Amino acid sequence: MEYILHILVMVCIYGILAVSFNLLIGFAGLFAMAQAAFYAFGAYATAILTLKLGLPFPVDLLLGVLITAFIGALVAIPAIRISGTYLVVVTLALQVIVIAIATNWKDLTGGTDGLRGIPSLNIFGYALDNPGRFLPAAIVALGICFWVAWRLANSPFGRALRAMRENESAAEAVGKNLLYMKVAVFAFSAGLAAVAGSLFARYLNYVGAESFGIDETIYMLAMVILGGTGNLWGSLVGAAVLVILPELLKFVTLPTEIADKSHLIIYGLLLIVILRLRPEGLLAERSTMRHLPHVDDTNRHGAEMTAPLPKDEVTLSGNDLHKRFGGIVAVAGFNIVLKSGSITGLIGPNGAGKTTAFNLLTGFLSLDSGTITFRGRNITGLKPHNIVRAGVARSFQDLRLFTKMTALENVMVALPNQAGDRVFDVFFRPMKIHREEQDNLVRARAVLDFVGLTHKAYETAENLSYAEEKLLVVGRLLATGAEVFLFDEPLSGLDRTTLAEIFPIVRKLADSGKTICIIEHNLDVIKELCDVVYFLDEGHAMAIGTPDQLMNDPALATRYFK
Amino acid sequence: MPLEEEAQGRKDMLKPIGAALTAAFFITTSAALAAEKPKDPDVIHIGALFAMTGKTSFYGTVMSQGMKQAIDEINAKGGVDGIKLEADIEDHKGGVAKAGVDGFTRLRNLYNVQAVMTSFSPPTLAIAPIADEQKIFLINGGGVSNNLVGASKYLFHNRSLASDLGHAAVSHAHDLGLKKMAELAWNSDAGDNIVKVVDEYWKKNGGTVVASEKMDVGASNIDTQVAKIRAGNPDFIGLWLFSPDPGLAAKRIRDFGLKVPLIGVEYTADVQKLGGAALEGYEFTSDYFQPSADEPWSAAFAKGYKERYHSDPDFYAANYYEGVYVIAEAMKRARAEGGDWYHGDKIAAALRANPTFKSVYGGSMVFQANGVAKKRVALFKVQNGNKVFEKYIEAK
Amino acid sequence: MDLFAQLFVNGLINGSHYALLGVGFGLIFATTRIVHFAYGPIFTAAAYAAWFAANVLGLPIPVAMVFAAAVAAVLGVITYQYLYLPFERGQSSSHVTLIASLGLFIVLENLIAIIFGTGGRVIDGYQYGIFLVGPIYFSSVQLGQVIAMVVLTALLGVYLARTRHGKAILATTDNPEMARIIGIDTVKVSRLVFAIGSALSAIPATLILLKDGATPSMGFFAVFIAFVAVIVGGVGSLRGAVAGGLALGMVESLGLWKIPTEWQSSIAFIVLFLVVLLRPQGLFGRTVS
């Protein structure tokens, strides 16, 4: 029956939209409220290119997708600098502006009358001019769009997106280029929405501004959330439910004057009920399960990881670092030299500038003055992800694990030089990425073995105990393959038994020639672990020496050790 | 008053035609006997696409009320040659193309409708190609955009186009000897159509346009527009707006101390309610709908409407009421041809064969080749809250 | 210049309206982190409540306004208690609550349309005064919009800073976790902000009823502009919501001085878009962490 076929066509179109929107909201965590504007670009591109320039299929579609993807990428540029609520406002603004232009640029868009007479799709002389004929094309389009989104979401790139969603700075700290990721995901999301727009124009043979308002964006948002964020199948289900449900409700017979309004009331109530029953959405986010490789394979990588490096060489050094915030001096004239194979402790009272020093050394804060070198190379002013890639990684005092991802994924995402982080490779070098993933699984297994979390590989990070979380932080840092590790209070809040588990791990790393620097308050830990200790106060090193030297220094004792 | 006399004269002139048409309507045609036996449906479903929800659901309310009243009346008199009518109303959510297509497809499939009443530009434009392909008779009594004309060969309009109403309104302003026009128009197809026609006419006839402002449909804040209009110091203000916005606009304009004449193209119960005293003296051109003792059908309709819905009908209700009668009459004529008559194209052909129909506005209306019914357009003036007929205006 | 002065005053008036909407919405949003979409239809319900009190019960307008505020407060608290709180207790994400709120929005808006009909409602026979100051016109209702914003915001500011309940609200806004630790019943605080925020919305709602009349769909714009005002001004600050609302009103009005009015609904967003691009740290200098 044509009516059912028509509804299915609409399910396909909204399926594409919901899937594309889920990439942004569910995977990248970018709350951009302009999806209907991207949808509009696709629809108007097809309408204008076919009507005014007479371009044939698929030229209109491809041009529409490219233009929209480009505009999506432009939106990503403010998105890199702003976050959260400001992104909502910028994109809402974009949504309103696009519709205003569609309404007011009458020569081009036909104003509120819209554009009519858009030619139907014509495949080898076979016109797709009714729902039955159009549905196969819509299903193919949905299939292709879903595949593209699925490929992206389940690639290393998709994993990185989810890491960025969980915590942007932590994603940077494991070497991810946020700008690249945001631009790419916006371009893909917008481009896919444009496919839906083009389908819409071809199917209705009509495009008008009223079809792409903010209410459409909200409608798509409801599909994504109802279906389950971070689950692409969920978006399909969400789209199907929200398209079909109102049609089913039309069969509830009521007096004319209240019928349609009552249907909407029931619709609203059902929406609430479904969400109450399934607060995670109809289909919850799942990690892509993988089987860990056997132990034999991992030994090789385990050995690789702790393969001895030459010791006692200067790796990271900071020279005369300065940083002030407004009138407050945070770091002033700080010098530090870290050597391979040794563990350096950073101690000092609260507000002494320890964490600020870490932020400066890893590019999370920009220096006012001073230079940072790594193995003789000047890395001053590099972005955090580039500093990680160069070989200097850091952890955060507040852990910043990717909480909704499994322990295994937390480690996998941190592994260096993943070709799968690049969307080009995701689509055009699938075999390479497949091999690389197999390899990386082995590496990840080795890391998990090393920190003793193999049995928790498939647990999401939020379900780990505090001690396990701390171990995972170490594991994630280790996975970056960096040579220098800056740990910000990795041991605080742990009991003696857990400390006894972690000490050997840190020691082992240092013994293998890694460079380690630890911010710590617990003097017992310092004494037990560190080779050199910097005592920081008022933004610079007041004293440097072995733990014993510093603790026996009378001046420091009165100031700090008491 | 000479104006009134003239109007009265024309009314008298039109009366016999009306009576003849009424007779033709109520007597089943005898021609049917001669033709092939007609293939009848069990029930005639008449579809409708109205704004039943959303910002403009006010329209859906009055349109569906007019439609249902007509269907009940016709059924009470035996339907179309004994076949009962049934209304099936779908919601296009205030002019959303997709919702219109959803509803239209549903009507086609579930009820095998052959005639659909439609409203608003985007849904009508979106269903037009489907109607063409499936040969469905369409009649629109609400949407006023020029773009609707000829969108489908089965699309008819028993509503004057906005541009015609606007043209009539400014020609009246011209007659009054006004020179400087300010206009406030809906930022929509209807508003744009009027502005285009009106500006051209006004400039050609030596007037100046001192301010041309736009407002969103249903916008509540138009202070900026009114301030700009006031700054233009106009002789009169053209309100190219539709329900309920002329009321709001008149009120804001008077608030700002502007006392110049207001001339518009619509006045409904809602306009009156929102505008109140500010509308005193407001002149508007509109489809001539004035229930009175001289027009028995319009009086009967108005009375029936009031009994059913406890409010006075406005011309939107009247148009869709009338539209049902047009459909029923066209179907009757199609059926008289006999055979497999129950198809939109046959119904449209019957309409085109004899495009004159009785109008609830009094007298008759003639559907022109472009599908638009030529109706009487009149100028009214609001006095003591009531619209008072001033004169007929010859549509161009 | 007369036009500019008039547009400036218009901007101030409409900005005050937006600001007051923003203050009510922002109080709820900042304290509970709930994007209370249904703020829109509750605003509408308040307008109809005022209409009912004034037109049907024949109460004087100030009394009708209080009645509307009471209705809105009750609706707000019910919404929190029976919609949001169960979601909160079920540990739902804020996105889920947002969509649930959207569901309620749809329910309430259509319910209002069924109960009160789809046509507009005005208070029969009500006439507001018109003032002429130099070349500038404004009405008593518009004056009321500005006064209501100033007075209510000031009262709210004092309430938050001085009273025990007010301080509990501020503490919860700052850090709900910490507020619970120091013994504040955050559920009670949430109920309180829903009551206050919703009651606040009833004042602009009543004034719009007096100015333009009430329609069932008036709530969408109200909650939309309130949301934008809050985010432009900065979440969690009373002053921010006021500044955001005024800025929107001003830009919308003055922006159209030389620009055609068909851009009315988007001009504020165009400016907003540009400003955020140039000043990503926000309009009023807060840094985004």
Side-chain angles (χ1 to χ4, degrees), chain A residues 521-537:
Chain A
H521 285 292
N522 187 334
L523 294 178
D524 295 336
V525 171
I526 294 285
K527 225 187 267 178
E528 209 160 323
L529 268 183
C530 296
D531 304 314
V532 187
V533 179
Y534 281 64
F535 181 87
L536 243 75
D537 202 0

Side-chain angles (χ1 to χ4, degrees), chain C residues 5 9 19 24 47 58 66 68 70 75 77 85-86 99 140 146 151 190 192 194 217 224 233 239 250 260 279:
Chain C
V9 170
V66 173
L75 283 176
V77 173
L85 190 57
I99 300 300
S140 56
V146 179
V151 171
S190 298
L192 185 63
F194 265 91
S217 56
F224 183 65
R239 233 173 289 156
M250 281 297 180
R279 274 184 68 87

Side-chain angles (χ1 to χ4, degrees), chain C residues 179-196:
Chain C
R180 267 189 289 276
I181 289 167
I182 62 171
I184 293 172
D185 181 348
T186 51
V187 170
K188 228 181 236 170
V189 168
S190 298
R191 244 179 258 142
L192 185 63
V193 294
F194 265 91
I196 298 172

Side-chain angles (χ1 to χ4, degrees), chain A residues 133-156:
Chain A
R133 290 173 169 197
F134 195 86
L135 184 59
I139 291 173
V140 169
L142 173 63
I144 293 171
C145 290
F146 188 85
W147 179 81
V148 168
W150 192 87
R151 182 89 193 117
L152 207 59
N154 289 292
S155 67

Side-chain angles (χ1 to χ4, degrees), chain B residues 61 213 228 230 252 255, chain C residues 6 118 128 142 256 261 264:
Chain B
T61 306
E213 306 302 329
K228 286 176 94 167
R230 188 166 59 111
R252 299 304 295 143
D255 285 354
Chain C
Q6 180 72 56
T118 49
Y128 47 70
Q142 291 180 318
L256 294 175
T261 37
Q264 184 181 30

